[in-house]
Amino acid sequence: MKIASWNVNSVGARLPRVLDWFSEARPDVCVLQEIKCVDEKFPAEAFEDLGYDVHVHGQKTYNGVALLSRHPVEDVRRGLPEYEDEHSRYIEALIVPEDAAPLRVGGLYLPNGNPAPGPKYDYKLAWMEALEAHAKRLLATEEAFALGGDYNVIPNESGVYDPSRWLGDALFRIESRQAYRRILNLGLTDALPQLMGEPYYTFWDYQRGAWDKNNGLRIDHWLLSPQAADRLEAGGVDAGVRDPNTGSPEAKPSDHVPVWVEIA
DNA sequence: ATGGTCGTGGGACGA
């Protein structure tokens, strides 16, 4: 099963490019972040035409997440359990394929947290604590699960083009990296670095020619439970969709690219 | 040194 995550930075503005990628990549399941629309405005039919069931946890203007699946899903949850959140940043479902073992998939859009320090950074750290608590609960079930999304955390120096310049940023501050490591240390596997031979990025800012200079960040991740990690077969980053000079001229690229794993 | 980019919505704000 191919499980993908993509921060599309508005599904409405991005639709031609998103559909092109879906047609080519054919993920079995995909979680989307920053759809920037309410549930009713999500272009569900376009994805249903490609064979997907559509589940949305939307929000006007900001945030918003969705989970699309070509296999039956059960037990859809919106928002992190036991955490009051004004933002739509989490969606989860149990995927129940007919020809493979079940897999629980969570899609998340972790708060950016800038400027740091400050209330927005406090919110980021609180959100990470709630995610850790949820991961702990899921681990106790001994289910196979995968948590993918825009974590807005650069885990280490290989995830940023100029580490020294990012030390004070909410994405790279030591407290953010510690909180990320605490989640991993529960027993989860950061899947993509296990599979990628070289350092890689998943985001390039729109500003300052970041794409042309390859000034990227690694902030989109897939974290796997032990039972899911044992089934991990492949993974990748579709960086090509970030190129503004290729693909559909009807839309500009997102600043993030899809990241995916294959789980037996 | 400064401004440089997007998306939303129709002015700032978030990223």
Side-chain angles (χ1 to χ4, degrees):
Chain A
M1 254 205 306
K2 182 173 183 176
I3 316 292
S5 169
W6 192 6
N7 179 326
V8 294
N9 185 20
S10 171
V11 70
R14 210 67 57 212
L15 195 58
R17 281 179 183 262
V18 174
L19 293 176
D20 284 350
W21 177 81
F22 265 79
S23 301
E24 195 165 317
R26 297 294 291 163
D28 291 280
V29 180
C30 185
V31 288
L32 301 176
Q33 300 89 38
E34 281 206 270
I35 60 171
K36 295 190 175 179
C37 64
V38 294
D39 296 13
E40 302 73 46
K41 290 275 178 71
F42 190 91
E45 311 75 25
F47 293 95
E48 286 162 0
D49 289 347
L50 295 175
Y52 291 89
D53 267 358
V54 176
H55 303 275
V56 182
H57 183 34
Q59 183 179 332
K60 186 178 156 69
T61 309
Y62 302 116
N63 313 310
V65 290
L67 187 153
L68 315 182
S69 175
R70 292 198 283 141
H71 301 286
V73 310
E74 298 173 3
D75 194 20
V76 179
R77 300 177 184 171
R78 292 168 174 80
L80 278 174
E82 298 178 44
Y83 179 71
E84 284 295 322
D85 198 349
E86 292 178 8
H87 296 174
S88 298
R89 295 182 175 275
Y90 187 81
I91 189 165
E92 178 187 300
L94 181 64
I95 315 298
V96 194
E98 283 166 19
D99 56 351
L103 177 72
R104 187 173 292 276
V105 173
L108 62 99
Y109 176 45
L110 210 145
N112 177 295
N114 280 306
K120 293 195 173 181
Y121 194 57
D122 295 341
Y123 171 52
K124 177 182 195 142
L125 294 178
W127 208 96
M128 294 187 81
E129 211 170 294
L131 179 62
E132 183 189 349
H134 184 52
K136 208 178 282 187
R137 282 191 295 270
L138 290 179
L139 281 163
T141 68
E142 300 192 0
E143 266 184 348
F145 68 86
L147 301 175
D150 177 0
Y151 280 75
N152 267 317
V153 175
I154 303 161
N156 57 47
E157 295 206 347
S158 75
V160 51
Y161 60 94
D162 184 356
S164 63
R165 203 176 286 185
W166 283 77
L167 285 171
D169 191 279
L171 278 60
F172 195 51
R173 285 176 73 92
I174 192 64
E175 299 96 321
S176 307
R177 283 182 273 160
Q178 287 170 338
Y180 187 74
R181 202 173 305 126
R182 271 197 294 277
I183 295 170
L184 284 179
N185 286 346
L186 297 172
L188 301 184
T189 296
D190 193 346
L192 286 165
Q194 307 276 327
L195 299 164
M196 306 284 283
E198 300 289 334
Y200 65 94
Y201 300 135
T202 67
F203 165 93
W204 292 260
D205 199 281
Y206 288 123
Q207 299 187 61
R208 293 172 289 264
W211 170 253
D212 290 329
K213 293 186 240 173
N214 196 27
N215 286 348
L217 305 176
R218 173 159 58 96
I219 53 179
D220 300 86
H221 312 296
W222 273 108
L223 269 48
L224 309 184
S225 76
Q227 294 80 1
D230 287 347
R231 290 157 53 188
L232 177 62
E233 292 188 322
V237 178
D238 293 346
V241 305
R242 180 62 182 84
D243 190 343
N245 299 315
T246 62
S248 170
E250 298 166 44
K252 295 176 178 176
S254 171
D255 40 7
H256 294 253
V257 298
V259 296
W260 54 271
V261 289
E262 283 200 17
I263 294 174

